[in-house]
Amino acid sequence: MAADEPLVLGIETSCDETGVGIVRGTTLLADAVASSVDTHARFGGVVPEIASRAHLEAMVPTIERALKEAGVSARDLDGIAVTSGPGLAGALLVGVSAAKAYAYALGKPLYGVNHLASHICVDQLEHGPLPEPTMALLVSGGHSSLLLAPDITSDVRPLGATIDDAAGEAFDKIARVLNLGFPGGPVIDRLAKEGDPASIAFPRGLTGPRDAPYDFSFSGLKTSVARWIEAKRAAGEEVPVRDVAASFQEAVVDVLTRKAVRACKDEGVDHLMIGGGVAANSRLRALAQERCERAGIRLRVPRPGLCTDNGAMVAALGAEMVARNRRPSDLELSADSSLPVTEPHVPGADHGHGHSHDHDHVHEISKDNLYS
Ligand code: KG4
Ligand code: ZN
C-alpha cells in the first residue's frame, strides 16, 4: 500500500444498508455497515420511508465507526465518494446530503458515483486492479446486466440486461411464495444445498436461438415456479421446498453463467467479473467457476460480504476517480434514483450534466417493486 495512493471514504445508502467504507487506492481499510433489513423483513420487502429514517439515524455513527476502524482522521481524506444513484430516492438523499456536508465542512472533493459501477469496482479491493476492458455480470436486487467496461470510471457499455425481473428480485419473490421471509437470496441459497437441482425442470428464459444473446428474463421462470407450487398445494401435497429452491436456483444461475461466458468468448475477453448481491450465491459462484475454467476464462468474484451493498465499493470507485483525475462533483449534486449504468460518475457542472433524462425523483424506482 503506497502512502501516495488516494485515501477515500465512501458512503452507500441506496437501499437498506447504511455502508461506510474507507480505502487507500485498492486497499480496504474499513467497511462499516448498519443494516435495517430486520425492520423490513416483517413487511416482506424494503419499505422506502423506513429505510430513509434508518439511514438518517445510522449515518454519523457509521462514519465514525469506519474512521476509527481505519485508524485515520477525516482531515487526511483525499475525497468523499457517495452513491448518487440508482436506488431509492429518499434513501439516496440521506447519503448524498451527508457526503456533501462532510465534503464542505472538511474542504474535500466530492464524487457522486454509480452504485452499479461500484459493485464492479469493489473487486479491486480483493483481486487487484481490474483488467481493461472488464467483462462484468452484474446481478443484484434491482439489476441484471452484462457490461463491458473499457474504463470503470468513464466508459461502461451494456451488452444486455433483464427485460423484466432482476435476478435478486426473482429470488426474493420465490422466497415469498415459499414463505421463507425476506430477503430471499440467502435462504434459498442455504436450502438449495439440501435439494436436488435436477428434480424439477423449470424454464430457462431467453435461451432460444432467436433470442437476444445477452438479455435475461426471469418473470416466466417466476410464474412457472409459482404455478408448480400452487398445483402441489391444490392437490394437498407437501411442497418439497428444498428441491424447488435448488431447481429454481439452478435455472437462474444456468442462464446467467451461460450468457456471461458466451459474452466473454464473443468479445474476446479472457476474464469475467461477477458483482452485486446475487454474486454472493454459492451455486452461481461454483457454476461460474466450472464454466469459466472450461472456457479458459479467469473468474473474479469478490467475497460474499463485498458482493452485497456496502460502503467499501463506493470508496473503491471513488479512489479510482481520484487516481484518474476525474472531475469531482459539485455541491449541487443530487440523488438520481434512475442514474443509468452508462454513467459511472456524476461530474460537476463544468463538464455539463452527463445525461439528459429528467431528474424527477418521483418517477419509477427500480427497487420499489420489492415492496409491491
Ligand atoms: O446488491 P444488493 O445487496 O442490493 C441491490 O443493489 O439490489 O442485492 C440484493 C439482492 C437481494 O435480492 C438478495 O436476495 C440477493 O441480492 N442476494 C442473494 C444472495 N445474497 C443476497 N441472492 C442469491 N443468493 C444469495 N446468497
Ligand atoms: Zn447493490
Side-chain angles (χ1 to χ4, degrees):
M1 171 171 76
D4 57 354
E5 286 184 298
L7 181 68
V8 174
L9 178 141
I11 298 176
E12 153 62 35
T13 63
S14 71
C15 195
D16 57 347
E17 250 96 42
T18 312
V20 180
I22 298 176
V23 307
R24 188 181 292 281
T26 57
T27 306
L28 177 63
L29 301 183
D31 181 18
V33 179
S35 177
S36 62
V37 69
D38 294 343
T39 327
H40 304 288
R42 65 196 166 103
F43 299 102
V46 175
V47 186
E49 287 308 316
I50 294 179
S52 308
R53 190 170 300 231
H55 286 310
L56 205 53
E57 280 166 16
M59 195 76 261
V60 174
T62 311
I63 289 176
E64 282 170 2
R65 192 148 56 86
L67 286 167
K68 200 166 162 209
E69 195 181 313
V72 299
S73 153
R75 282 189 308 276
D76 301 332
L77 295 170
D78 295 307
I80 293 180
V82 62
T83 301
S84 58
L88 300 169
L92 288 167
L93 202 56
V94 178
V96 169
S97 306
K100 289 203 276 193
Y102 276 85
Y104 181 71
L106 296 163
K108 305 291 181 187
L110 171 74
Y111 297 87
V113 304
N114 191 306
H115 181 81
L116 308 172
S118 301
H119 267 307
I120 299 171
C121 198
V122 70
D123 195 50
Q124 300 207 133
L125 303 177
E126 194 129 291
H127 299 115
L130 287 167
E132 294 185 327
T134 280
M135 179 67 76
L137 170 65
L138 179 88
V139 276
S140 69
H143 296 81
S144 299
S145 313
L146 266 168
L147 304 164
L148 186 63
D151 178 339
I152 196 61
T153 64
S154 66
D155 189 3
V156 179
R157 304 172 191 174
L159 298 180
T162 181
I163 59 164
D164 39 58
D165 293 356
E169 201 178 338
F171 272 92
D172 294 333
K173 286 180 176 169
I174 292 306
R176 195 182 308 175
V177 177
L178 290 169
N179 300 317
L180 298 175
F182 174 85
V187 55
I188 289 187
D189 192 349
R190 186 158 36 81
L191 291 173
K193 289 194 172 99
E194 295 156 21
D196 176 4
S199 58
I200 313 159
F202 288 129
R204 270 60 170 162
L206 288 188
T207 49
R210 294 217 195 115
D211 290 324
Y214 310 132
D215 282 342
F216 303 104
S217 168
F218 297 112
S219 87
L221 169 64
K222 185 187 68 189
T223 308
S224 169
V225 177
R227 290 229 176 99
W228 195 94
I229 296 168
E230 267 166 37
K232 279 272 164 197
R233 284 180 181 149
E237 291 173 39
E238 199 180 320
V239 177
V241 177
R242 288 169 173 76
D243 286 344
V244 173
S247 302
F248 157 75
Q249 176 177 274
E250 197 65 18
V252 174
V253 308
D254 176 23
V255 178
L256 290 175
T257 52
R258 215 190 299 174
K259 294 202 172 198
V261 167
R262 177 168 175 180
C264 289
K265 284 185 181 161
D266 290 354
E267 296 289 331
V269 176
D270 65 358
H271 72 278
L272 172 68
M273 189 276 155
I274 308 185
V278 181
N281 184 270
S282 61
R283 180 60 186 148
L284 174 59
R285 301 168 79 95
L287 189 59
Q289 186 62 47
E290 199 181 304
R291 289 185 170 170
C292 281
E293 250 165 46
R294 213 179 306 144
I297 294 165
R298 195 183 148 225
L299 179 67
R300 295 175 57 129
V301 198
R303 62 174 182 266
L306 291 179
C307 290
T308 46
D309 291 349
N310 62 82
M313 66 191 214
V314 181
L317 184 54
E320 203 54 49
M321 296 291 172
V322 177
R324 294 190 186 219
N325 279 319
R326 298 284 171 240
R327 190 182 183 82
S329 306
D330 53 36
L331 287 175
E332 267 95 79
L333 177 71
S334 59
D336 185 346
S337 60
S338 55
L339 186 67
V341 69
T342 47
E343 287 172 41
H345 112 284
V346 183
D350 285 358
H351 257 202
H353 258 68
H355 57 286
S356 54
H357 79 287
D358 67 304
H359 280 251
D360 174 3
H361 300 311
V362 291
H363 60 110
E364 202 199 25
I365 295 161
S366 61
K367 287 181 194 162
D368 260 0
N369 40 22
L370 286 178
Y371 183 49
S372 58

